Amino acid sequence: MNIFSFILAAVNATTLGSAFMTANTVMSSRSSIQSTSEKTIEPSTINNDVTIAEMKCEAGGSILDEAAMLAEQNFPISPNELISKAKQALVKDCGVLDPSLWADDFEFCAPYVGPLSKERFLEAANGFQIYDSFSDFDNRYFGFNVDPIEPGRVWFMTRLRATNDGLGLFGKKEPTNKTVVLPPQMYSFLFNEDGSIRELTVGYPVDRRQGNTGGLGGMFGVFYGVGQGLPFPEGKPYQLSRRFRLFTKIGDLVSQMKDKKKE
């Protein structure tokens, strides 16, 4: 397996406990790796026009009556059953150990990888053994809830902790013996009305200040956390662009000038 295939195979292993993505070459992977800003999918099942509020905020929104909105969906599988199915899927490495859990039109999508079809995802998942490098690789899943707006969607979070105490990474014989702690991340399953998994999304950090990976999630974060960050921007902690820093400085100067005028 070449280095790029290895990277792709490991991009979001934090969902499975084994790595997900592989590609034959950098060129062939371009169709799989894309920013979500390049391809935005609005599922036809989402009804953004329905809002049943438990109470209105004084400004900026409303607190949803989730029970009422879930009942309004008329989804054939109850919220409790959906959560139970999500947990059962996690026990089976999100379906890698039991692909019958996936729908025929299953797709995998991470921040920088995917969507991947069922066939490509399964091929990738079988291409890399993350446990060989991290014997205590532990996704700590929690916070399961059913989306009151998108029928069949189960959201949950994870806080990954792992130590590189097994095989070395990227051809190195010796492990780093470093422990990595990722920031909390949001994951999800989308179930169809038959109870099969239609979508799996992983690796979306929700607080970049936590953990020891500079805010990176997925395997990009794992590699960075053990001291072997990947050689491209997506594999490194987020940095503000020069243009953004320039606009910020200009804004600060304008504010300072206004404050002086008020004095």
Side-chain angles (χ1 to χ4, degrees):
M1 180 183 294
N2 61 42
I3 185 66
F4 195 80
S5 295
F6 182 93
I7 292 170
L8 289 183
V11 167
N12 277 289
T14 55
T15 300
L16 304 180
S18 61
F20 290 151
M21 276 10 88
T22 55
N24 294 324
T25 64
V26 174
M27 293 299 293
S28 66
S29 69
R30 287 179 178 174
S31 62
S32 296
I33 299 182
Q34 58 186 348
S35 167
T36 52
S37 64
E38 296 174 357
K39 183 179 181 181
T40 301
I41 299 176
E42 181 72 12
S44 59
T45 56
I46 297 179
N47 189 350
N48 285 311
D49 296 328
V50 176
T51 299
I52 303 175
E54 178 181 323
M55 63 181 70
K56 295 288 292 184
C57 301
E58 293 183 6
S62 57
I63 299 173
L64 299 181
D65 186 333
E66 296 181 36
M69 291 191 67
L70 287 169
E72 187 75 14
Q73 291 177 353
N74 291 318
F75 198 70
I77 305 173
S78 72
N80 287 339
E81 289 179 288
L82 286 172
I83 290 175
S84 178
K85 284 181 173 293
K87 292 179 178 179
Q88 291 170 11
L90 291 174
V91 170
K92 293 296 184 179
D93 270 356
C94 296
V96 172
L97 299 180
D98 184 5
S100 68
L101 296 174
W102 298 338
D104 291 338
D105 57 351
F106 168 89
E107 285 187 338
F108 166 89
C109 192
Y112 299 110
V113 175
L116 294 181
S117 67
K118 179 178 181 178
E119 292 74 22
R120 293 200 66 186
F121 177 64
L122 187 59
E123 178 184 359
N126 291 327
F128 179 61
Q129 300 298 319
I130 192 66
Y131 288 152
D132 291 343
S133 296
F134 299 87
S135 64
D136 64 347
F137 198 96
D138 187 15
N139 273 302
R140 295 172 289 180
Y141 300 111
F142 66 97
F144 294 81
N145 64 89
V146 179
D147 194 318
I149 294 176
E150 183 180 10
R153 178 77 70 177
V154 178
W155 299 98
F156 55 97
M157 298 186 69
T158 179
R159 285 179 175 267
L160 174 79
R161 183 184 185 280
T163 304
N164 180 211
D165 57 359
L167 297 179
L169 298 171
F170 303 124
K172 294 186 177 181
K173 294 182 179 180
E174 299 298 325
T176 64
N177 291 311
K178 292 183 178 180
T179 297
V180 59
V181 179
L182 267 63
Q185 300 174 94
M186 183 63 74
Y187 292 49
S188 80
F189 290 114
L190 176 63
F191 293 91
N192 62 23
E193 294 189 352
D194 294 327
S196 298
I197 299 171
R198 169 67 181 82
E199 292 179 13
L200 166 62
T201 66
V202 308
Y204 295 85
V206 298
D207 188 348
R208 57 186 171 85
R209 302 168 299 174
Q210 298 194 34
N212 61 3
T213 66
L216 290 173
M219 285 306 294
F220 286 175
V222 171
F223 294 146
Y224 182 84
V226 298
Q228 295 183 239
L230 303 176
F232 40 77
E234 292 83 357
K236 299 176 183 179
Y238 172 75
Q239 293 184 343
L240 299 177
S241 67
R242 293 180 180 177
R243 186 177 300 178
F244 186 89
R245 293 199 299 269
L246 175 61
F247 272 82
T248 300
K249 289 182 179 180
I250 293 175
D252 290 342
L253 289 173
V254 172
S255 296
Q256 292 174 11
M257 292 174 63
K258 288 182 177 179
D259 291 340
K260 288 183 178 180
K261 289 183 178 180
K262 291 180 180 179
E263 295 176 357

